[in-house]
Amino acid sequence: MITIPENFLLRRQLEGVRGKKVLVRIDANISPEEGRRFGAFRVWALRETLRALLPAAQIILCTHIGDPREKNTQDSTRRLIPFFKKILPWGQRIAFHNWQPGEKIEEKTKFVLLENIRFFEGEKKNDEVFAQSLAAVADLYVNEAFSVSHRVHASIVALPRLLPSFFGYRFEQEVLQLSRIFSHPQQSALVLSGAKIETKLPLLKNFLQKVDIIMLGGGIAHTYMKSNDMEIGNSLHEDRYLAEMQVLPSDKIMIPQDAVCEHHIKDIVDIDGNDNMLDIGPKTVEAYSNICKQKKLIIWNGPLGKIEDPRFEKGTLGFAKNLMYMKNTRIVGGGDTLALLCKNRLEQSFSFVSTGGGAMLDFLARETLPGIEAIVRKN
């Protein structure tokens, strides 16, 4: 199991926090479309770290929203203030600060929320000068943004090299829970689905030798099927990965048995050139669920259907509800999957729900992240 050295964990360094200004990189990237419950889950996950930091002189929160090309009202972090007012411990006040590089923070409140960090081009460029301007407002740095720690951005990589830096409580739990699969892989199963094949293929390759079985869905399943000369009709796939997937051993890969197309449910063997597979069918839900019952650990990343259309979310929801009642360890991740679980009030029904999507995939594939290396390896 992968562990972070204890001298980099915030919970082991609380005495050093007292009286200091602490900059906390969080991920409160919440769009209005994702709903209040999803937003509340993302923000509530920060509560333990924020409570632990109360002895600090000031706690400065830094996050991004979206990927804006220029400053705009919709992507301003100002709209997050109501979320934080609900979860801040002991009725603490929070102020919004329209921070600019080189400015000092004059607010006297315990909590300060900076403007969207991606409004500044230095963030995505991992610019050292921009990182220095962030470092100038604080004495310590805490990374509580596991879900963006696969990004080589200034607030994730360059900044922690400039300040004494630690991992927050939630970040520590993300690493601990996801690392379970490395400690007993032969009793584990991976459920891998979704449209972003590029981010999932490295994990698929890596885990073929680490888990008992990998169950596929969505675009990555369709691409694998086509690479093995199976008919997929007009279903989502990526031809550029066919050669890579064709050589993967098939003894550990499980594909759907049936699929929900636009107007009907079909067995996979009956799919023709006019079909478009948009969700897994009931036979697949049952088959995947039965496999999961037999394992000690399940890790699931990515929706099993086109869940942005309610007609094609039944497979994902059916599978999720079956997992709810199992007694094994069930870890779920991925932004779209989490949003659907929150929408249906299921997010508390699993052993652990990761806040990471791409970060979860990268961590499982590489067993580290740029945001981890920036703190642990900086010396």
Side-chain angles (χ1 to χ4, degrees):
M1 184 177 292
I2 297 168
T3 57
I4 295 173
E6 293 207 347
N7 56 311
F8 296 113
L9 298 177
L10 175 63
R11 64 181 175 86
R12 294 296 189 186
Q13 305 294 332
L14 293 179
E15 284 301 315
V17 165
R18 189 174 301 276
K20 301 290 181 64
K21 287 190 172 185
V22 184
L23 191 149
V24 187
R25 178 49 160 112
I26 63 174
D27 181 9
N29 181 22
I30 305 161
S31 70
E33 297 78 23
E34 287 170 324
R36 287 187 174 274
R37 193 173 180 90
F38 177 78
F41 179 88
R42 270 273 176 92
V43 175
W44 193 266
L46 307 170
R47 187 176 171 87
E48 192 173 7
T49 288
L50 299 185
R51 185 186 295 274
L53 288 172
L54 283 176
Q58 192 169 59
I59 302 157
I60 303 160
L61 304 178
C62 166
T63 186
H64 72 284
I65 294 179
D67 194 12
R69 295 182 179 179
E70 57 186 21
K71 293 184 179 181
N72 63 83
T73 303
Q74 181 178 342
D75 290 322
S76 172
T77 56
R78 187 188 295 272
R79 65 176 174 81
L80 298 176
I81 293 294
F83 281 109
F84 283 101
K85 284 183 176 179
K86 289 182 179 180
I87 66 104
L88 288 181
W90 300 319
Q92 294 287 338
R93 293 175 57 236
I94 183 169
F96 170 79
H97 183 85
N98 187 17
W99 178 81
Q100 300 294 319
E103 284 185 354
K104 293 183 178 180
I105 294 177
E106 304 294 345
E107 282 82 0
K108 303 302 181 184
T109 55
K110 175 68 76 173
F111 290 89
V112 175
L113 177 63
L114 300 186
E115 183 55 283
N116 189 340
I117 196 70
R118 288 191 184 170
F119 281 172
F120 308 100
E121 63 178 18
E123 166 66 358
K124 292 181 69 174
K125 291 181 177 180
N126 194 31
D127 183 74
E128 186 78 16
V129 174
F130 177 67
Q132 288 171 359
S133 67
L134 280 170
V137 306
D139 304 305
L140 304 173
Y141 169 86
V142 173
N143 186 338
E144 194 57 294
F146 176 86
S147 50
V148 288
S149 287
H150 59 315
R151 306 292 188 191
V152 183
H153 290 178
S155 64
I156 298 295
V157 174
L159 175 57
R161 292 172 177 161
L162 302 173
L163 292 172
S165 300
F166 310 99
F167 298 103
Y169 285 60
R170 178 69 186 199
F171 198 114
E172 180 186 354
Q173 280 301 306
E174 293 273 1
V175 171
L176 178 67
Q177 296 295 333
L178 292 176
S179 295
R180 286 175 178 269
I181 202 163
F182 303 118
S183 60
H184 45 77
Q186 297 310 314
Q187 299 168 315
S188 305
L190 176 67
V191 183
L192 196 58
S193 188
K196 298 177 182 177
I197 300 170
E198 181 180 6
T199 62
K200 299 178 191 292
L201 188 54
L203 181 60
L204 173 59
K205 290 179 175 180
N206 188 36
F207 269 62
L208 280 169
Q209 304 303 319
K210 293 184 177 180
V211 296
D212 288 339
I213 192 165
I214 300 175
M215 292 164 271
L216 300 181
I220 193 166
H222 306 154
T223 305
Y224 178 77
M225 290 160 62
K226 186 174 181 180
S227 76
N228 285 274
D229 299 321
M230 297 178 66
E231 179 62 68
I232 64 168
N234 299 313
S235 305
L236 175 70
H237 69 285
E238 290 197 47
D239 285 339
R240 58 179 170 152
Y241 297 114
L242 291 176
E244 285 184 74
M245 300 194 81
Q246 188 177 33
V247 298
L248 297 178
S250 60
D251 58 319
K252 287 189 175 182
I253 296 177
M254 188 172 181
I255 60 172
Q257 296 181 8
D258 59 347
V260 179
C261 301
E262 291 190 14
H263 304 294
H264 48 259
I265 298 174
K266 272 190 169 184
D267 286 346
I268 291 298
V269 294
D270 296 326
I271 295 295
D272 62 42
N274 296 316
D275 288 322
N276 183 9
M277 295 181 283
L278 297 165
D279 194 9
I280 58 170
K283 292 180 181 178
T284 305
V285 172
E286 182 178 5
Y288 282 13
S289 300
N290 287 337
I291 292 290
C292 290
K293 286 178 186 176
Q294 303 167 23
K295 305 302 176 185
K296 288 189 176 181
L297 172 65
I298 310 299
I299 290 188
W300 172 24
N301 182 285
L304 294 160
K306 187 182 178 182
I307 60 172
E308 56 267 33
D309 186 331
R311 295 176 299 164
F312 306 116
E313 64 180 23
K314 291 181 181 178
T316 301
L317 279 178
F319 180 65
K321 290 176 180 178
N322 287 345
L323 286 186
M324 281 171 50
Y325 298 104
M326 296 181 192
K327 303 299 183 183
N328 48 13
T329 301
R330 294 142 293 126
I331 299 174
V332 183
D336 293 335
T337 311
L338 175 55
L340 183 67
L341 295 179
C342 289
K343 173 185 169 184
N344 290 274
R345 299 179 179 272
L346 301 176
E347 73 276 13
Q348 302 297 329
S349 303
F350 299 88
S351 309
F352 185 76
V353 177
S354 175
T355 57
M360 174 184 176
L361 293 170
D362 277 14
F363 178 79
L364 291 173
R366 298 176 175 86
E367 303 183 23
T368 188
L369 293 171
I372 295 176
E373 295 298 302
I375 293 178
V376 174
R377 306 295 182 196
K378 71 176 181 178
N379 294 324

